[in-house]
Amino acid sequence: MNKKLLSGPYLMWMIGFILIPLALIVFYGLTDKSGAFTLSNVLSISTEEHAKALWLSLGLSLLSTVLCLVLAYPLAMILRTRGMGQGSFIVFIFILPMWMNFLLRTLAWQTLLEKNGVINGILSALHLPNQGLINTPGAIILGMVYNFLPFMVLPIYNVLMKIDDNVVNAARDLGANSLQVLIRILLPLSIPGIVSGITMVFVPALTTFVISNILGGSKILLIGNVIEQEFTKGSNWNLGSGLSLVLMIFILISMALIAKYDKNGEGTVL
Amino acid sequence: MINRKTAFIKRFFQDFYLVLIVVFLYAPIATMTVLSFNNSKSRTQWGGFTTRWYTELFSSSTIMDALYTTLLIAFVSSLIAVIIGTAAAIAINSMKPFPRSLLMGITNIPMLNADIVTGISLMLAFIAFGISLGFKTILIAHITFNIPYVILSVMPKLKQTDKSTYEAAMDLGATSVSAFFKVVFPDILPGVLSGFLLAFTMSLDDFIITHFTKGAGINTLSTLIYSEVRRGIKPSMYALSTIIFLTVLVLLLITNFAPKRKK
């Protein structure tokens, strides 16, 4: 029996439900309602409304990615120095929220941040003035960091755990201090994990419409919201597809980065 | 002496940092759990202990319908994905480097692509193919994004298996099918199972792709929560969240810490 035949169903499935659908986005994005070729859908990213949404998305998602990295790296380092192996319960605690329903996690922050929410309740109990926390860019960043932090922790932790202790010890024997070990040894060796973590946080943060919808109210529009509305409310699929094509440029850049820095898939979650 | 002191301080700060992150990660979940037992609808006042939100949750037919749909889709889509994905992994594993990397490249698309793009593209395709949006389309969409997880779980196990055992079984007169199920399959079974579990969880958790492919009149838990959130959160959602969290906790504890058979 030819083993290659076994890939038949898979190939047909992937062509039908991955490649053709993507081709359709390209087709819709580059045509107008009558089916004639046009670049106007893609170029409409430069209109004030869309450009503002894109810049805001880029800004918020970059900031969230940096925050995740800054929070996650020390965490992964501590887990490593404590010698917590893959099966350790402590590591499990940091990964667990990742498996909790994404919407419920965001809903939780809405409960905390709302005008009559838990945080403002605590503030007024302490006779402190209430804060306008919800419907701000800050609330969106908080939601992004909270939702995607485990996606940064896991790949960095995986890569750090693979670094041989002897490499670190050798550097120490040769006179390196902790900072030098970090900069010269651990950071360069953990780049696959860092890059993988960055893309795993950046891509969903850049394209989200859920977090901005729940924590940002209806006034803060991210590029994800604009696209979602074109498909569910506005029903201008051509425009929505054109804007998706613009988004895909950023996704492709991320994919290229992964391919360059994480060749062996060291930083992947699986 | 000084060394011991700095080591102590270092350890203290490390512990402090770990605790801080744990609080950040779990405070929202804990808040929802507390509120799910709060008799008052207010989020800031404790009105006494109650389980009425849980009763309300289980007597709501919309929520129970959505739960049923969610579980059914997760189970069926993971099962089909496991069959298609395992077969594909076996085929890909026996391929030459070029077709192999081509197929793995296609496999990676749904994993690396943004969910919103995958969702939109599938919606456009279903409409182009003339498939009306509903249960069927959610199922197809979930199978599509589940297959890669199965392949990526099975592949490493396949690489570890020894080709000669399969060949030995064939030499001893086994047909290729029985050689596969008696010799290769037991070896890759852990990968198949973890692929199934991973696919199952991904399907349970998905919102964005379901949102675009579901059509009107059908809800999974995620899409139901989304529509509820827009109308204002009901305390029964907190009860739901608590139950889901506990379920995930128990399932992950079992899969991670169940006593493993040593070879």
Side-chain angles (χ1 to χ4, degrees), chain A residues 81-202:
Chain A
T81 51
R82 294 289 172 86
M84 300 200 176
Q86 302 272 343
S88 128
F89 187 71
I90 307 282
V91 176
F92 173 74
I93 286 177
F94 290 99
I95 306 305
L96 177 63
M98 195 167 99
W99 300 106
M100 173 84 176
N101 188 291
F102 165 64
L103 278 157
L104 288 172
R105 279 180 288 168
T106 315
L107 179 81
W109 278 104
Q110 191 185 23
T111 305
L112 289 169
L113 297 176
E114 260 187 338
K115 217 172 148 205
N116 316 315
V118 174
I119 292 180
N120 273 331
I122 295 172
L123 284 178
S124 40
L126 298 169
H127 300 289
L128 292 167
N130 274 11
Q131 305 289 322
L133 300 164
I134 198 121
N135 301 347
T136 58
I140 297 179
I141 291 179
L142 189 65
M144 288 175 175
V145 171
Y146 182 74
N147 270 309
F148 304 132
L149 184 62
F151 294 111
M152 186 68 93
V153 176
L154 200 54
I156 295 180
Y157 166 79
N158 280 344
V159 171
L160 279 179
M161 287 307 279
K162 277 181 200 145
I163 297 175
D164 193 341
D165 278 333
N166 289 328
V167 178
V168 178
N169 292 338
R172 289 238 179 236
D173 285 347
L174 293 168
N177 60 32
S178 304
L179 188 67
Q180 283 170 321
V181 168
L182 175 67
I183 294 174
R184 307 281 292 269
I185 309 284
L186 294 177
L187 269 179
L189 285 175
S190 52
I191 285 197
I194 294 176
V195 172
S196 167
I198 286 177
T199 49
M200 283 182 67
V201 173
F202 180 69

Side-chain angles (χ1 to χ4, degrees), chain B residues 197-217:
Chain B
L197 276 180
L198 199 60
F200 192 82
T201 353
M202 289 297 158
S203 171
L204 282 188
D205 201 42
D206 178 70
F207 165 71
I208 297 175
I209 295 172
T210 315
H211 177 68
F212 288 107
T213 51
K214 80 182 180 70

Side-chain angles (χ1 to χ4, degrees), chain B:
Chain B
M1 203 46 202
I2 293 169
N3 257 335
R4 212 199 264 167
K5 216 174 190 176
T6 49
F8 177 78
I9 292 172
K10 209 171 160 188
R11 223 187 140 77
F12 174 78
F13 275 109
Q14 288 182 348
D15 283 340
F16 184 70
Y17 190 72
L18 290 183
V19 171
L20 217 61
I21 301 269
V22 168
V23 170
F24 175 62
L25 289 176
Y26 286 92
I29 298 172
T31 311
M32 294 211 288
T33 307
V34 173
L35 288 176
S36 75
F37 293 109
N38 184 6
N39 203 1
S40 149
K41 269 196 175 180
S42 153
R43 267 160 232 160
T44 48
Q45 257 155 12
W46 181 251
F49 182 86
T50 181
T51 52
R52 73 172 158 133
W53 308 123
Y54 289 86
T55 330
E56 198 172 280
L57 176 74
F58 285 111
S59 54
S60 152
S61 62
T62 9
I63 297 179
M64 287 299 117
D65 280 351
L67 175 68
Y68 176 74
T69 313
T70 310
L71 290 175
L72 188 65
I73 284 181
F75 184 76
V76 178
S77 73
S78 325
L79 198 65
I80 298 178
V82 159
I83 296 168
I84 298 179
T86 308
I90 293 167
I92 293 172
N93 195 43
S94 67
M95 281 177 181
K96 292 196 178 77
F98 176 70
R100 176 201 294 220
S101 54
L102 185 72
L103 283 189
M104 288 311 280
I106 300 176
T107 308
N108 276 324
I109 294 176
M111 301 192 66
L112 296 173
N113 204 347
D115 282 355
I116 186 172
V117 178
T118 308
I120 290 169
S121 70
L122 280 166
M123 174 188 149
L124 289 175
F126 290 139
I127 289 164
F129 296 158
I131 310 175
S132 57
L133 297 181
F135 183 86
K136 247 185 308 175
T137 50
I138 305 178
L139 188 65
I140 293 174
H142 281 227
I143 295 170
T144 308
F145 70 71
N146 275 339
I147 291 176
Y149 291 105
V150 175
I151 293 184
L152 292 183
S153 306
V154 176
M155 273 309 234
K157 294 279 173 222
L158 268 176
K159 278 184 188 145
Q160 285 166 18
T161 56
D162 192 346
K163 242 189 183 169
S164 41
T165 52
Y166 174 75
E167 280 158 9
M170 301 275 278
D171 284 347
L172 294 169
T175 62
S176 59
V177 174
S178 75
F180 170 75
F181 278 105
K182 290 211 167 123
V183 177
V184 182
F185 192 68
D187 277 346
I188 61 169
L189 187 62
V192 175
L193 285 180
S194 70
F196 178 85
L197 276 180
L198 199 60
F200 192 82
T201 353
M202 289 297 158
S203 171
L204 282 188
D205 201 42
D206 178 70
F207 165 71
I208 297 175
I209 295 172
T210 315
H211 177 68
F212 288 107
T213 51
K214 80 182 180 70
I218 185 166
N219 267 319
T220 64
L221 277 182
S222 290
T223 59
L224 184 73
I225 296 167
Y226 189 64
S227 57
E228 293 274 329
V229 166
R230 294 170 131 191
R231 275 184 252 144
I233 315 166
K234 278 190 256 160
S236 53
M237 285 294 121
Y238 298 137
L240 179 66
S241 150
T242 307
I243 292 174
I244 290 184
F245 179 72
L246 286 178
T247 315
V248 171
L249 180 70
V250 170
L251 277 180
L252 283 176
L253 279 177
I254 293 172
T255 50
N256 279 319
F257 299 106
K260 278 170 191 139
R261 271 184 300 161
K262 292 256 154 65
K263 279 193 181 168

